[in-house]
Amino acid sequence: MIDLCFLGTCGMMPMPGRWLSCVLLRCNAQLTLFDCGEGTQIPWKALGWGFRQLGAICLTHMHADHVAGLPGVLFMVAHAGRTEPLHIYGPVGTAYVVEGLRRIAADLPFPVHIYEMRGGEQFMLPGNLYGSCAAAAHGIPCLAYRAELKRNAEFQVEKARALGLPVEYWSRLQHGETIEYNGQTFVPAQVLGEARRGISLAFITDTRPTPTLSAFAYDVDLLICESMYDDPADLPLAREHAHMYAEEAAGLAKAAEAHRLILTHFSPKIADPSRAERAARRIFANTSAARDGLIVTLNFS
Ligand SMILES: [Zn+2]
Ligand SMILES: [Zn+2]
């Protein structure tokens, strides 16, 4: 199971009642933050999931609305007593910006490791999530992220019994170990059923839609995607600033064959995101517009 919370849904600048578009993800009691705009720690504190378990921050790019909240969040994590390392992922240029922001959050009780990526990398995220990234198209280095929770194949008790294997060996086989018993070797395939679908989500913001991104988000259970604008008439603006309007986000979800789309990163001029939601639904029916504080739980199917 994965829980996620939209700490904010605004692009460009925080507004009264709407924070910047960050998503906090919780899996196996561990936390990963996607983007970290100014003031992120405030809605996070209201959420009550705690700060100590934050093990990774995935930054899409180095615009202020996605990174300026870092000193405040690092301070909160320190204040919560974390001593284990914190991993920060981002595009080329991340180290320069994060090290600059660290000048006002210098004394931390935990090490901070920074990883600069170009797209195509794979890495582990807290809570046993498999992370990956792809290059986005925003005019500066920008990454889209994907996180997947794999699911073990079903353990078939009757097969284990038929092999005469004592119960104490079952769990090791279920978790992929080869074991020796009674002078014989047993491999997981002897007691496991078909592979089962895990849970996957993609976080795509501050980019034009591209074939690379729809391939990257293929078949995700949830696509979280920017909708900076809500009107096709804004296409010239979207092109100029390398963003999307709602129908483009929906087109990306459709091309990716995603199962569900949630829109976020709304321009400050969008007072009511329900118009973006209605527009996107004409292209991709299972769309909703995020509101600040929205919590979504993804379960194994
Ligand atoms: Zn932005
Ligand atoms: Zn940006």
Side-chain angles (χ1 to χ4, degrees), residues 61 63 65-66 138 206 243 265:
H61 65 298
H63 280 157
D65 57 329
H66 297 258
H138 191 45
D206 289 47
H243 280 291
H265 197 284

Side-chain angles (χ1 to χ4, degrees), residues 239-289:
R239 284 202 175 120
E240 185 187 347
H241 300 293
H243 280 291
M244 291 183 231
Y245 61 90
E247 284 96 327
E248 289 182 309
L252 180 56
K254 191 175 177 182
E257 298 180 42
H259 294 230
R260 180 179 179 186
L261 169 66
I262 300 185
L263 303 173
T264 186
H265 197 284
F266 303 108
S267 158
K269 74 174 185 174
I270 296 181
D272 176 9
S274 60
R275 180 175 155 171
E277 184 177 270
R278 282 194 304 276
R281 278 181 181 171
R282 286 196 285 271
I283 291 163
F284 188 83
N286 196 9
T287 300
S288 51

Side-chain angles (χ1 to χ4, degrees), residues 59-232:
L59 300 171
T60 56
H61 65 298
M62 298 299 117
H63 280 157
D65 57 329
H66 297 258
V67 296
L70 212 49
V73 163
L74 293 176
F75 176 78
M76 292 303 289
V77 174
H79 191 65
R82 186 177 181 88
T83 52
E84 305 89 341
L86 174 68
H87 305 281
I88 298 181
Y89 300 90
V92 171
T94 297
Y96 176 75
V97 172
V98 171
E99 282 160 12
L101 292 168
R102 281 285 314 271
R103 303 233 170 118
I104 53 169
D107 294 324
L108 298 174
F110 52 86
V112 175
H113 301 303
I114 302 170
Y115 307 87
E116 293 194 344
M117 306 183 292
R118 292 172 190 276
E121 289 86 349
Q122 299 187 333
F123 45 95
M124 289 308 292
L125 289 171
N128 210 22
L129 286 168
Y130 289 75
S132 56
C133 64
H138 191 45
I140 61 167
C142 184
L143 295 173
Y145 289 96
R146 182 172 174 135
E148 302 202 42
L149 182 62
K150 297 197 193 287
R151 189 178 193 189
N152 290 334
E154 192 174 26
F155 187 82
Q156 302 195 311
V157 172
E158 62 286 1
K159 284 188 182 171
R161 286 216 175 98
L163 291 169
L165 269 173
V167 175
E168 56 264 35
Y169 291 95
W170 292 7
S171 167
R172 286 166 58 193
L173 274 172
Q174 186 176 16
H175 291 93
E177 259 186 73
T178 296
I179 60 158
E180 302 287 335
Y181 169 69
N182 230 357
Q184 271 184 284
T185 301
F186 295 91
V187 297
Q190 289 175 274
V191 293
L192 298 182
E194 296 280 296
R196 292 187 291 185
R197 181 181 172 84
I199 304 169
S200 56
L201 64 102
F203 183 73
I204 298 181
T205 191
D206 289 47
T207 178
R208 296 290 300 144
T210 68
T212 298
L213 293 175
S214 43
F216 176 67
Y218 176 70
D219 196 35
V220 285
D221 295 285
L222 172 63
L223 171 59
I224 299 165
C225 190
E226 74 142 293
S227 174
M228 183 68 158
Y229 306 104
D230 62 357
D231 188 341

